[in-house]
Amino acid sequence: MRLRQAGLEDAAALAALHATAFPPGEAWPEGTMRSLLGLPGVTALLAEGEGLLLLRQAADEAEVLTLAVRPEARRQGVARALLETGMLLLAAAGARRLLLEVAAENAPAMALYAGLGFARAGERRNYYAPGRHAWLLARALEGEG
Ligand SMILES: CC(C)(COP(=O)(O)OP(=O)(O)OC[C@H]1O[C@@H](n2cnc3c(N)ncnc32)[C@H](O)[C@@H]1OP(=O)(O)O)[C@@H](O)C(=O)NCCC(=O)NCCS
């Protein structure tokens, strides 16, 4: 697996990968990727042709903006590798806590995050749509690496 930090020149590749992992209405187009990549504190990691992770850090707190792995590349540790590398980068940059929202019914993602030590820190009712709730998950980044 080739894993590297992505830049503005990768916006199209990030959008193409994102579109393989989310339904059409939820996929982020190239313009959205480009805008996010231009924001302060945003880091993108790309597993070439397989998956992507977008993170945003503000002071000692960070959040997962999105995580996606192409269906054909799943269950091979791509998401775990992206998150582990992302958490090392965040910790090195001074982040002490990583937060994310995940759909309550997203069993693969819930299993992934539980395995990496995330715990429930709250609930976001109707976060995605009426009746579609999210869990807020959090993990301390102390001692990374
Ligand atoms: C969730 C997602 C990112 C996981 O990517 P992945 O590369 O397949 O995950 P990994 O191979 O790194 O899995 C690591 C661990 O997570 C858990 N896991 C991942 N997918 C799982 C599944 N379908 N069922 C049960 N557990 C799963 C397992 O514990 C797995 O370890 P194991 O394979 O050794 O059992 C991927 O399914 C995806 O892109 N889904 C659609 C988009 C999405 O839901 N993004 C997250 C939004 S918060």
Side-chain angles (χ1 to χ4, degrees):
M1 177 192 328
R2 243 192 92 214
L3 211 165
R4 64 173 173 87
Q5 272 187 257
L8 274 177
E9 65 283 4
D10 298 304
L14 294 172
L17 268 176
H18 204 259
T20 69
F22 286 96
E26 294 173 28
W28 295 358
E30 183 179 345
T32 302
M33 293 295 179
R34 195 170 282 281
S35 306
L36 288 171
L37 289 165
L39 291 179
V42 169
T43 300
L45 287 176
L46 176 62
E48 211 77 59
E50 298 181 332
L52 68 124
L53 171 67
L54 261 67
L55 301 163
R56 178 164 53 193
Q57 181 179 357
D60 63 357
E61 201 154 90
E63 62 176 324
V64 172
L65 296 176
T66 195
L67 167 68
V69 174
R70 193 162 56 86
E72 299 79 8
R74 288 182 189 166
R75 294 313 288 268
Q76 295 166 37
V78 175
R80 188 191 288 123
L82 284 165
L83 282 164
E84 285 176 348
T85 302
M87 291 192 291
L88 283 172
L89 289 174
L90 290 170
R96 289 290 163 260
R97 192 168 183 241
L98 179 59
L99 297 159
L100 60 90
E101 276 100 12
V102 57
E105 71 272 15
N106 190 344
M110 290 295 285
L112 168 72
Y113 295 130
L116 284 169
F118 285 83
R120 287 180 193 181
E123 190 185 13
R124 302 256 195 262
R125 308 276 306 166
N126 306 309
Y127 182 78
Y128 295 102
R132 287 194 63 212
H133 312 308
W135 289 110
L136 176 67
L137 304 185
R139 183 192 189 281
L141 294 174
E142 278 91 357
E144 236 35 61

mmCIF file of all heavy atoms in Angstrom, residues 3-5 43-45 53 55 57 82-95 141 144:
data_model
loop_
_atom_site.group_PDB
_atom_site.id
_atom_site.type_symbol
_atom_site.label_atom_id
_atom_site.label_comp_id
_atom_site.label_asym_id
_atom_site.label_seq_id
_atom_site.Cartn_x
_atom_site.Cartn_y
_atom_site.Cartn_z
ATOM 1 N N LEU A 3 1.148 5.013 0.764
ATOM 2 C CA LEU A 3 0.418 6.002 1.565
ATOM 3 C C LEU A 3 1.235 7.291 1.622
ATOM 4 O O LEU A 3 2.409 7.251 1.961
ATOM 5 C CB LEU A 3 0.256 5.412 2.966
ATOM 6 C CG LEU A 3 -0.969 5.791 3.757
ATOM 7 C CD1 LEU A 3 -1.133 4.859 4.934
ATOM 8 C CD2 LEU A 3 -0.876 7.211 4.215
ATOM 9 N N ARG A 4 0.586 8.407 1.274
ATOM 10 C CA ARG A 4 1.333 9.679 1.293
ATOM 11 C C ARG A 4 0.387 10.837 1.590
ATOM 12 O O ARG A 4 -0.839 10.688 1.493
ATOM 13 C CB ARG A 4 2.030 9.910 -0.046
ATOM 14 C CG ARG A 4 1.067 10.070 -1.214
ATOM 15 C CD ARG A 4 1.808 10.468 -2.484
ATOM 16 N NE ARG A 4 0.938 10.481 -3.655
ATOM 17 C CZ ARG A 4 0.206 11.522 -4.031
ATOM 18 N NH1 ARG A 4 0.190 12.638 -3.316
ATOM 19 N NH2 ARG A 4 -0.558 11.456 -5.113
ATOM 20 N N GLN A 5 0.991 11.969 1.949
ATOM 21 C CA GLN A 5 0.171 13.162 2.144
ATOM 22 C C GLN A 5 -0.251 13.701 0.786
ATOM 23 O O GLN A 5 0.533 13.671 -0.166
ATOM 24 C CB GLN A 5 0.942 14.219 2.931
ATOM 25 C CG GLN A 5 0.756 14.023 4.436
ATOM 26 C CD GLN A 5 1.348 15.139 5.258
ATOM 27 O OE1 GLN A 5 2.397 14.990 5.841
ATOM 28 N NE2 GLN A 5 0.655 16.265 5.310
ATOM 29 N N THR A 43 -5.265 18.217 6.801
ATOM 30 C CA THR A 43 -4.287 17.273 6.264
ATOM 31 C C THR A 43 -5.031 16.182 5.524
ATOM 32 O O THR A 43 -6.043 15.674 6.024
ATOM 33 C CB THR A 43 -3.482 16.612 7.412
ATOM 34 O OG1 THR A 43 -2.799 17.621 8.134
ATOM 35 C CG2 THR A 43 -2.465 15.614 6.876
ATOM 36 N N ALA A 44 -4.535 15.826 4.340
ATOM 37 C CA ALA A 44 -5.131 14.716 3.587
ATOM 38 C C ALA A 44 -4.095 13.620 3.418
ATOM 39 O O ALA A 44 -2.941 13.892 3.097
ATOM 40 C CB ALA A 44 -5.599 15.208 2.226
ATOM 41 N N LEU A 45 -4.519 12.397 3.658
ATOM 42 C CA LEU A 45 -3.668 11.232 3.412
ATOM 43 C C LEU A 45 -4.313 10.412 2.314
ATOM 44 O O LEU A 45 -5.528 10.175 2.330
ATOM 45 C CB LEU A 45 -3.528 10.385 4.677
ATOM 46 C CG LEU A 45 -2.657 10.954 5.789
ATOM 47 C CD1 LEU A 45 -2.708 10.035 7.005
ATOM 48 C CD2 LEU A 45 -1.220 11.108 5.304
ATOM 49 N N LEU A 53 -8.048 9.818 3.737
ATOM 50 C CA LEU A 53 -8.431 10.306 5.063
ATOM 51 C C LEU A 53 -8.191 11.798 5.092
ATOM 52 O O LEU A 53 -7.104 12.266 4.748
ATOM 53 C CB LEU A 53 -7.563 9.619 6.131
ATOM 54 C CG LEU A 53 -7.677 10.152 7.559
ATOM 55 C CD1 LEU A 53 -9.067 9.876 8.144
ATOM 56 C CD2 LEU A 53 -6.609 9.517 8.454
ATOM 57 N N LEU A 55 -8.272 15.103 7.654
ATOM 58 C CA LEU A 55 -8.264 15.494 9.063
ATOM 59 C C LEU A 55 -8.180 17.004 9.167
ATOM 60 O O LEU A 55 -7.587 17.654 8.298
ATOM 61 C CB LEU A 55 -7.022 14.904 9.749
ATOM 62 C CG LEU A 55 -6.871 13.391 9.717
ATOM 63 C CD1 LEU A 55 -5.437 13.005 10.045
ATOM 64 C CD2 LEU A 55 -7.844 12.747 10.704
ATOM 65 N N GLN A 57 -7.152 19.939 12.154
ATOM 66 C CA GLN A 57 -6.646 20.193 13.508
ATOM 67 C C GLN A 57 -6.795 21.664 13.859
ATOM 68 O O GLN A 57 -6.535 22.544 13.032
ATOM 69 C CB GLN A 57 -5.164 19.805 13.595
ATOM 70 C CG GLN A 57 -4.565 20.028 14.977
ATOM 71 C CD GLN A 57 -3.108 19.606 15.046
ATOM 72 O OE1 GLN A 57 -2.557 19.091 14.082
ATOM 73 N NE2 GLN A 57 -2.488 19.835 16.189
ATOM 74 N N LEU A 82 -4.382 4.281 7.387
ATOM 75 C CA LEU A 82 -4.605 5.722 7.216
ATOM 76 C C LEU A 82 -4.791 6.385 8.576
ATOM 77 O O LEU A 82 -4.203 7.432 8.866
ATOM 78 C CB LEU A 82 -5.838 5.956 6.342
ATOM 79 C CG LEU A 82 -5.672 5.717 4.837
ATOM 80 C CD1 LEU A 82 -7.040 5.630 4.155
ATOM 81 C CD2 LEU A 82 -4.843 6.831 4.200
ATOM 82 N N LEU A 83 -5.617 5.792 9.419
ATOM 83 C CA LEU A 83 -5.889 6.403 10.729
ATOM 84 C C LEU A 83 -4.653 6.374 11.624
ATOM 85 O O LEU A 83 -4.354 7.354 12.308
ATOM 86 C CB LEU A 83 -7.056 5.676 11.406
ATOM 87 C CG LEU A 83 -8.434 6.075 10.870
ATOM 88 C CD1 LEU A 83 -9.486 5.053 11.284
ATOM 89 C CD2 LEU A 83 -8.833 7.463 11.353
ATOM 90 N N GLU A 84 -3.935 5.258 11.622
ATOM 91 C CA GLU A 84 -2.742 5.191 12.477
ATOM 92 C C GLU A 84 -1.706 6.225 12.055
ATOM 93 O O GLU A 84 -1.114 6.906 12.902
ATOM 94 C CB GLU A 84 -2.156 3.772 12.443
ATOM 95 C CG GLU A 84 -2.996 2.809 13.275
ATOM 96 C CD GLU A 84 -2.538 1.365 13.213
ATOM 97 O OE1 GLU A 84 -1.700 1.034 12.336
ATOM 98 O OE2 GLU A 84 -3.035 0.561 14.011
ATOM 99 N N THR A 85 -1.509 6.363 10.747
ATOM 100 C CA THR A 85 -0.552 7.367 10.257
ATOM 101 C C THR A 85 -1.061 8.773 10.570
ATOM 102 O O THR A 85 -0.301 9.638 11.019
ATOM 103 C CB THR A 85 -0.358 7.209 8.737
ATOM 104 O OG1 THR A 85 0.099 5.885 8.484
ATOM 105 C CG2 THR A 85 0.652 8.201 8.196
ATOM 106 N N GLY A 86 -2.359 8.984 10.348
ATOM 107 C CA GLY A 86 -2.942 10.295 10.640
ATOM 108 C C GLY A 86 -2.792 10.656 12.112
ATOM 109 O O GLY A 86 -2.460 11.804 12.449
ATOM 110 N N MET A 87 -2.993 9.694 12.986
ATOM 111 C CA MET A 87 -2.901 9.982 14.428
ATOM 112 C C MET A 87 -1.471 10.307 14.835
ATOM 113 O O MET A 87 -1.238 11.165 15.691
ATOM 114 C CB MET A 87 -3.475 8.815 15.227
ATOM 115 C CG MET A 87 -4.987 8.717 15.056
ATOM 116 S SD MET A 87 -5.832 7.612 16.209
ATOM 117 C CE MET A 87 -5.247 6.021 15.679
ATOM 118 N N LEU A 88 -0.497 9.656 14.190
ATOM 119 C CA LEU A 88 0.909 9.984 14.462
ATOM 120 C C LEU A 88 1.222 11.415 14.033
ATOM 121 O O LEU A 88 1.866 12.167 14.771
ATOM 122 C CB LEU A 88 1.832 9.024 13.699
ATOM 123 C CG LEU A 88 1.996 7.623 14.280
ATOM 124 C CD1 LEU A 88 2.775 6.743 13.305
ATOM 125 C CD2 LEU A 88 2.713 7.682 15.626
ATOM 126 N N LEU A 89 0.737 11.781 12.845
ATOM 127 C CA LEU A 89 0.981 13.144 12.346
ATOM 128 C C LEU A 89 0.334 14.171 13.267
ATOM 129 O O LEU A 89 0.930 15.199 13.599
ATOM 130 C CB LEU A 89 0.411 13.299 10.929
ATOM 131 C CG LEU A 89 1.145 12.568 9.802
ATOM 132 C CD1 LEU A 89 0.369 12.713 8.496
ATOM 133 C CD2 LEU A 89 2.554 13.129 9.640
ATOM 134 N N LEU A 90 -0.893 13.896 13.673
ATOM 135 C CA LEU A 90 -1.611 14.837 14.543
ATOM 136 C C LEU A 90 -0.904 14.994 15.885
ATOM 137 O O LEU A 90 -0.737 16.106 16.387
ATOM 138 C CB LEU A 90 -3.048 14.351 14.778
ATOM 139 C CG LEU A 90 -3.998 14.423 13.586
ATOM 140 C CD1 LEU A 90 -5.301 13.693 13.907
ATOM 141 C CD2 LEU A 90 -4.277 15.883 13.204
ATOM 142 N N ALA A 91 -0.491 13.873 16.461
ATOM 143 C CA ALA A 91 0.182 13.939 17.758
ATOM 144 C C ALA A 91 1.483 14.724 17.642
ATOM 145 O O ALA A 91 1.804 15.550 18.501
ATOM 146 C CB ALA A 91 0.443 12.527 18.281
ATOM 147 N N ALA A 92 2.204 14.490 16.540
ATOM 148 C CA ALA A 92 3.468 15.216 16.335
ATOM 149 C C ALA A 92 3.214 16.712 16.181
ATOM 150 O O ALA A 92 4.068 17.532 16.518
ATOM 151 C CB ALA A 92 4.192 14.675 15.108
ATOM 152 N N ALA A 93 2.024 17.063 15.678
ATOM 153 C CA ALA A 93 1.687 18.481 15.489
ATOM 154 C C ALA A 93 1.008 19.073 16.723
ATOM 155 O O ALA A 93 0.511 20.193 16.683
ATOM 156 C CB ALA A 93 0.788 18.638 14.263
ATOM 157 N N GLY A 94 0.949 18.304 17.799
ATOM 158 C CA GLY A 94 0.446 18.854 19.057
ATOM 159 C C GLY A 94 -1.000 18.550 19.387
ATOM 160 O O GLY A 94 -1.527 19.037 20.396
ATOM 161 N N ALA A 95 -1.675 17.747 18.560
ATOM 162 C CA ALA A 95 -3.073 17.409 18.877
ATOM 163 C C ALA A 95 -3.103 16.387 20.012
ATOM 164 O O ALA A 95 -2.251 15.501 20.090
ATOM 165 C CB ALA A 95 -3.775 16.846 17.650
ATOM 166 N N LEU A 141 -4.824 11.238 22.058
ATOM 167 C CA LEU A 141 -3.672 11.004 21.188
ATOM 168 C C LEU A 141 -2.357 10.994 21.978
ATOM 169 O O LEU A 141 -1.291 10.881 21.382
ATOM 170 C CB LEU A 141 -3.597 12.079 20.097
ATOM 171 C CG LEU A 141 -4.748 12.060 19.089
ATOM 172 C CD1 LEU A 141 -4.654 13.257 18.145
ATOM 173 C CD2 LEU A 141 -4.751 10.771 18.289
ATOM 174 N N GLU A 144 1.159 8.675 21.311
ATOM 175 C CA GLU A 144 1.177 8.126 19.946
ATOM 176 C C GLU A 144 2.604 7.888 19.496
ATOM 177 O O GLU A 144 3.466 8.735 19.632
ATOM 178 C CB GLU A 144 0.549 9.171 19.011
ATOM 179 C CG GLU A 144 -0.622 8.710 18.181
ATOM 180 C CD GLU A 144 -1.529 7.716 18.849
ATOM 181 O OE1 GLU A 144 -2.117 8.018 19.889
ATOM 182 O OE2 GLU A 144 -1.649 6.631 18.286
#
